[in-house]
Amino acid sequence: MWVDGAMIATEGATLPLMAHAAQRGSLVFDVGSFHRTARGPALFRAREHVARFLRSARVVGLELAYGEDALVEAARAVVAPAGKDDGLVRWSAFFAAREPDLLPRSSRASVAVAAQLYEDPPRTTPLRIATFDDARKAAPEAIDPSVKAAAAYLGPMLAKRRAVAAGAEEVVLLDRDGFVAEAPTANAFAVVGGTLWTPPLRYVLAGITRDAVLTLARADRIPVREEPLPREAFASSDEAFLTATSYPVAPIGAIDGRALAAPGPVTQRLIERVAAIQGGRDAAFARWITYVHD
Ligand code: PMP
């Protein structure tokens, strides 16, 4: 693991209980991925992940001593010795010192970059989704949805627990107007009458996989709507899926108990397109790939 410029053993990476990051949830993070290619492991859209990470840090008021280049290089440095060709890379920034007050006295934050190997085999069965009228994203005026801060995940965590208790595997939260927003850690898509439909960015994170899927759909001339998605249109869609770095495209097999064909043809096509790019097999999108070994 890379911490403030030095490689340390992961077991040595501890945080004091009284750290602001832990007591107030002010830690910000981003999660990217690396994939097996013919030239060894390669990071997927690492610059975009680092840019989003730096933005999260800025909004929360964490001052970092490292810029975009250093943080991409740190990711390469932790993936190279990981011994696996597939996994996740996590950038974190946090106030490590004891900070009893709500407003921390210092703004200089620590930075850690770690490779994370998958513990479970990749999921192959379609997701069962629950929605609830009163499980909603925080209003954007309360928490900017483009910021990945630990504290922002508390409400979504409780909603997911409720979905699991109801027999589903994942929750899709609504926005404050009652339209579909996103899952706790994934963006939501529906295919309705051949059109790919996803909520606009106002209430949801600008997912990097979301952007990849929209870019690929447009390149394939699939019509795209980035407009408020009514809950009923989502639940009665022809196909639906979630996107996130860790999936990256996860077919949805049921919404609120109604079964959907999964993966549908549009979903399947996007799964294959993303896999080819991440595997370094699509020259048109070579710009999204950073090889770990020169
Ligand atoms: N929404 C939220 C709230 C998330 O935490 C994530 C995971 N970063 C996503 C969507 C998916 O984003 P990405 O495709 O960049 O992983």
Side-chain angles (χ1 to χ4, degrees):
M1 184 159 181
W2 181 103
V3 180
D4 291 332
M7 294 295 279
I8 65 161
T10 302
E11 310 80 67
T14 57
L15 191 67
L17 180 60
M18 294 311 289
H20 197 270
Q23 295 291 338
R24 309 288 186 183
S26 58
L27 176 147
V28 306
F29 67 100
D30 216 286
V31 181
S33 58
F34 59 98
H35 304 270
R36 180 189 307 274
T37 77
R39 289 174 49 191
L43 300 164
F44 181 64
R45 306 195 73 177
R47 289 213 167 264
E48 287 93 330
H49 281 284
V50 166
R52 189 171 68 184
F53 174 64
L54 291 172
R55 185 173 181 284
S56 294
R58 202 162 50 241
V59 173
V60 176
L62 299 158
E63 252 173 42
L64 310 190
Y66 307 94
E68 198 173 299
D69 290 345
L71 294 172
V72 171
E73 280 315 303
R76 294 177 74 204
V78 295
V79 169
K84 281 268 170 68
D85 275 358
D86 288 285
L88 301 173
V89 47
R90 179 178 285 260
W91 293 266
S92 309
F94 49 94
F95 295 123
R98 184 179 164 275
E99 287 277 10
D101 295 333
L102 185 58
L103 273 185
R105 277 169 296 224
S106 124
S107 49
R108 176 50 65 90
S110 290
V111 183
V113 188
Q116 238 177 285
L117 303 178
Y118 292 113
E119 284 168 14
D120 303 320
R123 159 185 195 96
T124 49
T125 50
L127 286 167
R128 291 192 309 275
I129 300 288
T131 64
F132 303 100
D133 190 49
D134 56 350
R136 305 213 176 189
K137 286 281 293 183
E141 297 81 3
I143 299 186
D144 177 344
S146 69
V147 168
K148 285 180 66 69
Y153 288 83
L154 184 62
M157 178 190 103
L158 300 180
K160 177 163 184 163
R161 186 176 283 158
R162 198 171 152 192
V164 170
E169 291 149 310
E170 189 53 279
V171 67
V172 168
L173 301 155
L174 306 180
D175 68 24
R176 74 165 159 217
D177 304 321
F179 291 94
V180 168
E182 61 182 341
T185 59
N187 292 106
F189 283 82
V191 179
V192 179
T195 295
L196 189 60
W197 196 348
T198 195
L201 289 180
R202 179 161 161 69
Y203 296 107
V204 305
L205 182 78
I208 289 163
T209 323
R210 174 188 183 278
D211 177 76
V213 159
L214 290 174
T215 303
L216 295 174
R218 290 185 174 117
D220 275 2
R221 299 186 190 290
I222 297 171
V224 166
R225 285 176 81 171
E226 279 188 80
E227 290 166 26
L229 171 60
R231 191 177 169 190
E232 305 70 41
F234 182 55
S236 63
S237 57
D238 305 320
E239 304 176 34
F241 57 87
L242 298 182
T243 62
T245 293
S246 54
Y247 291 148
V249 176
I252 293 176
I255 302 174
D256 294 333
R258 176 187 175 267
L260 274 80
V266 174
T267 309
Q268 184 60 33
R269 164 104 182 130
L270 289 164
I271 289 172
E272 287 165 14
R273 291 279 270 144
V274 172
I277 295 170
Q278 292 183 331
R281 300 188 302 278
D282 187 338
F285 288 94
R287 66 181 184 281
W288 284 354
I289 296 291
T290 304
Y291 291 100
V292 168
H293 305 293
D294 287 324

